[in-house]
Amino acid sequence: MKRFGLKKVFSIAIIIAFLLGANQMSSTAAENRIFNDMPHTGNVFADMEKQIDYFKEDGNIRSDIAVRTLKMHISGVALFQKQGQTDKVIKQMQSFKRLLDNQKSSGGISGIAHDVLNTYTQYAIGKINGSFNSDNVMKHIKHLSVDIGPREAGSEGERAGAEYIESVLKSYGYETKIEEAPRSNRVELILKVLSDNNKKLPLRAVSGAPQTTGDGITGNIYHAGAGQPSDFTAAARGKVALIQNGGITAGAKVQNAMAAGAIGVLIYDNQDRFTLPSVSLGSVRPNIPVATITKKDGEAFVSQLSKGNIEVQLSIKTLTNQKTVNVIAVKKPKGIENPEIYYIGSHLDSVAFAPGANDDASGTSTLMELARIFKDYDGDKELRFAAFGGEELGFVGSKYHIGNLSEDEVKRTKVQFQMDMTGTAWVPASQLFINTVDGKSNLVSQSTHQAAEKLDINKDLLPVHMLSRSDHVPFHEKGVPSALFIWMEPGTPPGGANIEPYYHSLEDKIEHVSPERVQLTGDVVFKAISDLIGFQENGGNNEEASLKDAS
Ligand code: BES
Ligand code: ZN
């Protein structure tokens, strides 16, 4: 009896603890969900159902009835898909879009829920019907952002990216070239862990501290806690001091490290964030190099130190005579003098240390896939695909390219479509904004809206907006109708840019890119340009594409 009683009390306690815990979890999950990414498992119908649950939790879907209605429709479509009845899948997806419109106007679902579920639907239709295949885009994004990684203008990464893009475009039969545009001096930052396969870590130079000479400094790491005088012993001499940010000033930490004979300082962050911490030395002017690193990397050093020495090399130096690179691929019409020119652009560079998956491997890879499906075009227009370098420095590559065009070429240039950040997975960025420099509609936005209508894509999903900030600007300045395609939050004010928190950070990773949004971007831009240049497909050439990811 007694034992039973105890057991009972114990299990009730567990149940209460579980309920409290679960409750806590679901409330934080609900608060954060709106900042989450669209689920992508490769099964579009399962992803939609999951997204519907999230929208119910965060209030973007208001009633259980709306949830049930939407899910019922999706499971019906999924069944047709399983039975291989593709025509019925398409038809049902089209009626699902009407259902979403109705749910939105009756207030059952929010605008964002409408847009996101609509995009999943459009993805499924595009994957079955279209020529543009987002699977190919994702493979290019992986190569650029994971295998190659950061592609800062002038760096080896940018060059490697350019060579990859050129080889792909060449393989489609385009005439290609790499242009080299001069860029300003570049501060090259290298932190190499010599005792760990020369692994390179991201770092930020702290201003006020000197650059290094030769190959930089090499030494073992000395863990110096928060950098108080008492954190240093004689063993710090000749080593690189690893100090946690916070508490005393960075200036004091560095002074204490110098007094102990350290040859350099690495300050690691004391909070998790997407960027490298920026610290100030105040009036302290050290004679040893100082850089900051992430919390994760700093803590990894601390834990590895318990197993043995860590040897690092730190180099901070200014490089002169830097060149950033453009990749240009051209398809000229046969036997036509002075044809009209149609540009599709993107930028291949990233900011330093950012993988640049959405900004702008996504746009560059969208460009490559467009080049693939236009490769057999034999109409009377000239097509140019331009992946520019140095965009992040102020459109250095595109300005250089345009500056070298003849007046006649500029005159013959009819449009420029700039693909930049074509697929964030961040849920709130639910609309594909067509950004012109003056905020007015032009040939790019008009042709895209006409294409959307033909594809039964709601025009509301494609607002015309005023925004500069990419390579469409130099084209606009030469009088060429141009626009930048980027996913942003509905209601973003003119000139504003409400975008994902991963922008220009270490978190701009492929995990945060949505193949669904890439597919919609590619489908609508492909249709718009096809209609402008009179491209007729000889039947769909998308046999290998299916609703399942090719992997
Ligand atoms: N992809 C961005 C532009 C962008 C950012 C568009 C946010 C919409 C929202 C681009 O690569 C970029 O960062 N551009 C620079 C341009 C600057 C150096 C002139 C920017 O906006 O800071
Ligand atoms: Zn960009």
Side-chain angles (χ1 to χ4, degrees):
M1 258 324 257
K2 205 180 168 196
R3 256 186 78 194
F4 176 78
L6 248 182
K7 212 173 165 185
K8 199 170 175 184
V9 167
F10 192 59
S11 28
I12 288 170
I14 285 182
I15 288 167
I16 290 172
F18 176 80
L19 285 177
L20 278 175
N23 208 3
Q24 211 173 351
M25 252 177 67
S26 70
S27 73
T28 29
E31 277 160 33
N32 292 331
R33 189 115 290 141
I34 187 74
F35 298 111
N36 278 7
D37 289 348
M38 291 165 64
H40 178 86
T41 61
N43 179 340
V44 64
F45 304 119
D47 291 339
M48 289 172 87
E49 293 194 346
K50 203 183 276 174
Q51 184 63 74
I52 288 169
D53 289 335
Y54 294 158
F55 279 144
K56 179 67 180 51
E57 264 178 66
D58 65 25
N60 277 293
I61 295 181
R62 284 167 204 120
S63 70
D64 288 323
I65 301 173
V67 170
R68 248 176 292 138
T69 312
L70 295 170
K71 282 195 176 175
M72 213 157 69
H73 203 112
I74 292 168
S75 50
V77 190
L79 194 64
F80 285 136
Q81 168 67 19
K82 226 181 188 165
Q83 296 165 345
Q85 306 198 57
T86 315
D87 289 356
K88 288 202 173 141
V89 173
I90 299 278
K91 233 175 139 184
Q92 289 301 310
M93 289 310 251
Q94 263 142 4
S95 75
F96 187 71
K97 287 198 277 181
R98 303 288 90 82
L99 176 60
L100 289 172
D101 294 346
N102 293 340
Q103 287 286 343
K104 184 187 162 187
S105 51
S106 70
I109 67 176
S110 74
I112 285 188
H114 169 275
D115 297 347
V116 169
L117 295 171
N118 189 295
T119 300
Y120 275 113
T121 313
Q122 209 55 56
Y123 165 80
I125 295 172
K127 271 300 235 11
I128 295 171
N129 266 349
S131 303
F132 186 93
N133 186 353
S134 51
D135 293 347
N136 296 333
V137 179
M138 296 310 288
K139 282 180 207 152
H140 296 315
I141 296 176
K142 180 179 172 292
H143 192 78
L144 290 168
S145 68
V146 181
D147 303 343
I148 293 174
R151 303 172 301 285
E152 187 186 7
S155 69
E156 279 170 31
E158 190 199 36
R159 174 68 68 166
E163 281 167 6
Y164 171 69
I165 297 159
E166 186 186 32
S167 74
V168 170
L169 296 175
K170 203 181 235 116
S171 78
Y172 299 149
Y174 291 90
E175 223 176 90
T176 63
K177 67 172 176 204
I178 288 191
E179 292 174 343
E180 297 193 345
R183 65 148 290 178
S184 54
N185 291 348
R186 176 169 76 93
V187 179
E188 183 197 52
L189 303 163
I190 300 172
L191 176 59
K192 246 193 238 171
V193 189
L194 303 178
S195 50
D196 186 4
N197 287 315
N198 291 334
K199 185 174 162 190
K200 284 188 182 173
L201 302 180
L203 68 154
R204 182 198 289 262
V206 174
S207 70
Q211 295 199 341
T212 58
T213 54
D215 289 333
I217 59 161
T218 299
N220 284 347
I221 288 201
Y222 174 83
H223 183 209
Q228 301 271 13
S230 59
D231 288 317
F232 293 92
T233 66
R237 185 158 300 279
K239 294 195 180 138
V240 177
L242 174 71
I243 307 176
Q244 192 180 40
N245 197 18
I248 59 169
T249 65
K253 292 174 200 280
V254 172
Q255 270 174 330
N256 296 337
M258 280 195 298
I263 58 168
V265 175
L266 295 175
I267 298 177
Y268 68 98
D269 208 347
N270 54 349
Q271 45 178 297
D272 279 314
R273 52 183 142 202
F274 295 166
T275 51
L276 291 152
S278 131
V279 302
S280 164
L281 294 180
S283 58
V284 175
R285 288 289 166 271
N287 55 19
I288 56 174
V290 182
T292 67
I293 60 174
T294 64
K295 178 166 184 260
K296 181 179 121 277
D297 288 337
E299 287 177 348
F301 277 150
V302 172
S303 81
Q304 283 157 29
L305 275 174
S306 61
K307 292 170 210 137
N309 283 336
I310 302 171
E311 192 185 25
V312 295
Q313 184 185 351
L314 173 64
S315 166
I316 302 174
K317 63 182 179 212
T318 299
L319 304 179
T320 56
N321 297 318
Q322 291 291 290
K323 299 268 201 289
T324 183
V325 287
N326 297 331
V327 180
I328 314 291
V330 177
K331 186 176 203 43
K332 285 201 167 99
K334 280 178 213 105
I336 302 213
E337 296 274 320
N338 304 322
E340 290 181 351
I341 301 169
Y342 290 75
Y343 267 95
I344 298 161
S346 73
H347 68 92
L348 66 96
D349 65 320
S350 71
V351 296
F353 299 114
N358 193 37
D359 188 10
D360 181 29
S362 68
T364 299
S365 305
T366 301
L367 173 151
M368 286 190 266
E369 176 62 358
L370 289 168
R372 183 186 71 80
I373 56 189
F374 279 126
K375 71 181 170 24
D376 298 320
Y377 171 69
D378 66 355
D380 59 356
K381 321 284 192 218
E382 177 172 336
L383 291 185
R384 293 189 184 178
F385 296 87
F388 297 114
E391 187 273 349
E392 300 289 4
L393 308 172
F395 329 134
V396 169
S398 53
K399 278 184 181 162
Y400 176 87
H401 176 78
I402 294 167
N404 283 309
L405 297 180
S406 69
E407 234 171 79
D408 177 57
E409 280 176 293
V410 174
K411 231 193 266 155
R412 285 190 281 122
T413 300
K414 294 296 153 198
V415 281
Q416 194 252 5
F417 285 71
Q418 174 73 359
M419 306 284 106
D420 189 357
M421 305 175 80
T422 56
T424 182
W426 188 61
V427 169
S430 66
Q431 298 183 340
L432 179 59
F433 282 61
I434 306 173
N435 303 281
T436 59
V437 173
D438 55 16
K440 295 187 189 137
S441 76
N442 61 18
L443 187 54
V444 177
S445 63
Q446 285 150 11
S447 59
T448 307
H449 279 168
Q450 278 166 21
E453 204 172 324
K454 291 178 193 164
L455 296 174
D456 188 34
I457 296 172
N458 195 332
K459 245 173 69 171
D460 293 352
L461 213 67
L462 301 155
V464 177
H465 185 250
M466 184 180 77
L467 190 66
S468 300
R469 300 183 67 172
S470 194
D471 296 310
H472 60 310
V473 175
F475 284 88
H476 170 87
E477 284 169 356
K478 288 279 188 180
V480 175
S482 63
L484 154 66
F485 288 75
I486 177 174
W487 290 85
M488 299 199 283
E489 259 188 281
T492 297
N498 297 351
I499 52 160
E500 71 262 29
Y502 322 117
Y503 169 62
H504 280 190
S505 82
L506 304 171
E507 264 311 301
D508 183 4
K509 295 180 180 164
I510 190 166
E511 294 91 295
H512 303 303
V513 176
S514 152
E516 296 81 10
R517 285 178 175 158
V518 165
Q519 182 71 41
L520 193 150
T521 310
D523 282 338
V524 74
V525 169
F526 175 55
K527 182 77 182 144
I529 298 171
S530 293
D531 288 352
L532 282 174
I533 65 173
F535 178 62
Q536 247 109 43
E537 285 175 84
N538 32 6
N541 54 351
N542 195 17
E543 295 129 28
E544 76 279 36
S546 77
L547 276 180
K548 281 262 177 320
D549 283 356
S551 52

